[in-house]
Amino acid sequence: RSMGIVLRQSFRNTIIIYGAFLIGGINTIWFYPELLGAKFYGLVVYLLATSNIMMPFLAFGAHFTMIKFFSSYETKEQKDRFLSSQIFFPLLIALPIGFFWDYFHEWIMSAVVKENKSIENYTFSIYLISVCCAYFEFFYSWTKVHLNTVFGNVLKELWNRVVVTILLISVFCGLISKIEFIYYLTGAYILRTFVMMFYAFKIYIPKFHFKFPDNFSEIIKYSGYIILAGSAGAILLDIDKNMIPGKDTIEQVAFYTVAVFMGSFIEAPSRAMTQILQPLTSKSLNDANMVEVESLYKKSSINLFLVGGLFFLLVNCGVHELFKLMPEKGYAGGELVVLMISLAKLYTMFLGNNGAIITNSKFYRITLPIGVGSAVAVYFLNRLFYYELDMGTNGLALSTLIIILIFNSVKLYFVKSKFSMSPFTDKSWKLFFIILILMVSFYFWNFSIPVVEVFDRDISPILNIIFKSLLIIICYLFLIFKLSISEQINTLLKKYIKL
């Protein structure tokens, strides 16, 4: 039954996320470079990346704490006391940081080279966006624990991308300037938080108490671990974009971001499924239902690996043609970055709900050394590959891949040793070889299509991507169906396709 809930909401969330990724792809690959230019695009990415690094500190772990503890309370009073205490947690850090922002502003500016001083006028947007994102995640978790993820997912994935599209078109039409684009985008983050808050209160409105829950000391302890672990995770994801302006021009952030976006495209199903897997895993652990936990672990692993494998093939086998469509030469040559980032994402997807098992179990403390260790390691590897060995953005992607492979393997071993469960099945190996064979078959080969111009632009790369993608999809679906890799996917294919 639980996997049915997962698949239903995951299906809706996947459609939402891939719709968002499609809009984001158009923004990232065409609108941003064409309408905003590499310099302002790099500036926007830097501001958002730095906000993402700050956000977990400001959230004080409240969004993770919500999922961990809410299902353990049995009475409405206990739940209301818990929610009442959590809602003010982010302010404990946000208010002091805002009061001393001048010092943080100076620290940020000391880390960038002279060519990137344009960042100076917009650092307060970093603070506002990070506070808004902290409270957005808190209220989104509020709805997750009631197994309601779809509306929050629309706001999380679609809202900002649609707003960006509207704002970029407004820049193109001369309705707003590039500078105003940044201010309007900041305002969109603020508005999104209030919409999420009102929706959370619509789902469940507590009777606010000034009395802490009985296990408040345990909550504080958990939040302390999670705030550090979550911050480390954010550093791992965004430190590379944050470090580029310390050596290269802000335009390099834009070039690298496009390649990372392409590589990250494959993780959309994981993001969709995780929204509902987190509360279900937490509930199963709180109920000590280890059979259900293991079932979720194996099924989430094979289904995410299967869907992620298809998009891994589509992205990497079409990336060379895709870069031909970019307006500036600086974007080209990012194939290795795409390959390394997508490999890291695919391995993470193979682990299924591994992270949710650790975070919501009594062993959650291990997230701290894992998170801090990965953040410190990726920082020093970035320093080595990017600054010392001068490997460029390939070095940044390589450090990310190495760290994710090592620390995800540690998490895999940890769950195996503590819970005696693994995501591996014989079908995992079959699927691995399917992906490997198709990758080798299609990566170095393209259709020989003559130049086809539309509005003075060569669209032959688009045609090549379409034809090649269709061929890969047909081969992939045929193989996974005939080898019965996933019961859920096979049932879906039988319903709509005759194979």
Side-chain angles (χ1 to χ4, degrees):
R1 183 175 172 273
S2 294
M3 202 62 204
I5 297 172
V6 170
L7 290 173
R8 277 197 303 275
Q9 293 210 26
S10 295
F11 179 70
R12 295 171 191 165
N13 287 336
T14 299
I15 292 172
I16 292 165
I17 289 175
Y18 270 119
F21 262 72
L22 178 62
I23 296 169
I26 294 169
N27 291 340
T28 301
I29 297 170
W30 285 291
F31 283 3
Y32 264 128
E34 292 275 5
L35 305 181
L36 212 58
K39 183 176 181 179
F40 262 90
Y41 181 20
L43 174 59
V44 171
V45 171
Y46 176 82
L47 296 176
L48 295 179
T50 308
S51 299
N52 287 339
I53 291 172
M54 283 186 61
M55 187 279 284
F57 288 101
L58 299 179
F60 203 76
H63 51 308
F64 290 113
T65 307
M66 173 83 74
I67 290 171
K68 162 72 175 168
F69 289 101
F70 186 83
S71 63
S72 66
Y73 297 111
E74 296 179 355
T75 67
K76 186 178 189 304
E77 184 190 351
Q78 289 175 321
K79 291 177 179 179
D80 290 354
R81 282 162 58 183
F82 171 67
L83 293 173
S84 300
S85 66
Q86 288 296 294
I87 201 167
F88 297 108
F89 266 25
L91 292 178
L92 296 177
I93 297 180
L95 290 178
I97 287 179
F99 188 76
F100 293 105
W101 186 252
D102 284 347
Y103 296 100
F104 285 94
H105 168 82
E106 293 300 325
W107 176 69
I108 290 169
M109 294 312 302
S110 68
V112 301
V113 294
K114 289 181 181 178
E115 291 85 353
N116 300 320
K117 291 301 178 184
S118 57
I119 293 168
E120 182 139 24
N121 299 322
Y122 311 102
T123 60
F124 198 64
S125 287
I126 295 172
Y127 173 73
L128 289 176
I129 291 171
S130 57
V131 172
C132 288
C133 287
Y135 264 106
F136 174 84
E137 291 296 338
F138 171 76
F139 286 115
Y140 187 17
S141 293
W142 187 302
T143 64
K144 281 182 190 177
V145 295
H146 293 92
L147 303 184
N148 189 316
T149 65
V150 177
F151 181 77
N153 199 40
V154 170
L155 291 181
K156 184 180 176 73
E157 303 294 345
L158 270 176
W159 175 284
N160 292 335
R161 291 175 171 94
V162 171
V163 166
V164 163
T165 303
I166 294 169
L167 292 178
L168 287 171
I169 293 171
S170 299
V171 170
F172 175 72
C173 295
L175 300 176
I176 62 173
S177 66
K178 293 179 180 180
I179 294 172
E180 289 173 325
F181 173 92
I182 295 173
Y183 295 132
Y184 279 115
L185 184 60
T186 304
Y189 274 92
I190 296 171
L191 181 59
R192 183 186 70 155
T193 303
F194 280 106
V195 173
M196 189 72 244
M197 180 183 73
F198 289 127
Y199 184 75
F201 285 141
K202 181 183 175 184
I203 295 294
Y204 181 86
I205 186 158
K207 180 180 179 182
F208 287 99
H209 290 261
F210 292 101
K211 189 176 180 181
F212 292 136
D214 295 334
N215 61 338
F216 188 67
S217 60
E218 185 185 356
I219 291 169
I220 290 290
K221 192 184 297 182
Y222 179 82
S223 297
Y225 274 95
I226 290 300
I227 186 176
L228 292 171
S231 301
I235 289 170
L236 177 63
L237 290 173
D238 286 301
I239 190 66
D240 44 8
K241 298 167 195 167
N242 183 267
M243 290 176 72
I244 289 173
K247 182 188 178 189
D248 286 320
T249 61
I250 200 81
E251 286 88 344
Q252 288 298 323
V253 181
F255 301 151
Y256 181 65
T257 298
V258 169
V260 170
F261 174 85
M262 292 178 186
S264 300
F265 183 78
I266 75 165
E267 73 172 341
S270 176
R271 290 165 65 168
M273 193 176 282
T274 299
Q275 311 299 350
I276 190 67
L277 272 173
Q278 282 181 336
L280 283 174
T281 303
S282 175
K283 189 175 188 314
S284 298
L285 286 165
N286 286 335
D287 295 341
N289 187 352
M290 301 313 295
V291 173
E292 181 67 10
V293 173
E294 184 170 12
S295 174
L296 287 170
Y297 194 22
K298 290 185 182 298
K299 288 178 180 177
S300 62
S301 170
I302 195 66
N303 285 307
L304 285 175
F305 193 28
L306 190 155
V307 179
L310 174 59
F311 285 96
F312 173 82
L313 291 168
L314 294 176
V315 167
N316 285 285
C317 294
V319 69
H320 183 71
E321 296 297 299
L322 200 56
F323 275 123
K324 290 180 181 178
L325 301 170
M326 300 300 294
E328 295 182 44
K329 290 183 179 179
Y331 288 100
E335 287 94 339
L336 272 178
V337 172
V338 175
L339 179 61
M340 288 186 282
I341 295 296
S342 60
L343 272 173
K345 299 295 184 184
L346 187 61
Y347 185 47
T348 301
M349 292 174 74
F350 168 70
L351 267 59
N353 65 333
N354 175 285
I357 292 172
I358 296 174
T359 304
N360 293 289
S361 73
K362 63 181 179 181
F363 303 110
Y364 67 84
R365 291 177 182 83
I366 194 65
T367 58
L368 181 58
I370 289 176
V372 172
S374 62
V376 171
V378 81
Y379 174 79
F380 283 108
L381 277 184
N382 280 349
R383 298 287 305 182
L384 174 64
F385 294 154
Y386 188 64
Y387 284 87
E388 308 285 334
L389 300 180
D390 204 24
M391 292 172 65
T393 52
N394 286 341
L396 296 175
L398 179 60
S399 66
T400 300
L401 175 60
I402 290 170
I403 296 306
I404 286 179
L405 288 176
I406 291 172
F407 284 91
N408 273 357
S409 297
V410 171
K411 289 161 68 177
L412 189 68
Y413 172 77
F414 184 82
V415 171
K416 174 66 176 174
S417 63
K418 296 297 182 183
F419 297 93
S420 299
M421 61 179 71
S422 161
F424 287 107
T425 66
D426 59 332
K427 293 176 181 178
S428 304
W429 291 109
K430 290 179 184 177
L431 183 55
F432 170 77
F433 283 111
I434 290 172
I435 295 168
L436 181 62
I437 291 166
L438 291 180
M439 182 70 176
V440 172
S441 301
F442 288 101
Y443 187 75
F444 302 100
W445 171 85
N446 285 297
F447 285 98
S448 297
I449 297 176
V451 174
V452 180
E453 289 196 354
V454 176
F455 300 115
D456 298 323
R457 282 212 167 187
D458 179 17
I459 65 163
S460 59
I462 296 176
L463 297 175
N464 211 324
I465 291 169
I466 292 170
F467 295 145
K468 195 173 177 181
S469 296
L470 287 172
L471 190 56
I472 291 170
I473 290 169
I474 291 167
C475 293
Y476 191 80
L477 291 180
F478 178 79
L479 288 170
I480 63 121
F481 179 81
K482 288 301 181 184
L483 294 173
S484 299
I485 301 296
S486 165
E487 293 176 16
Q488 290 80 22
I489 300 296
N490 266 30
T491 302
L492 203 62
L493 288 174
K494 283 178 183 176
K495 188 175 180 181
Y496 295 106
I497 304 171
K498 297 293 183 185
L499 287 175

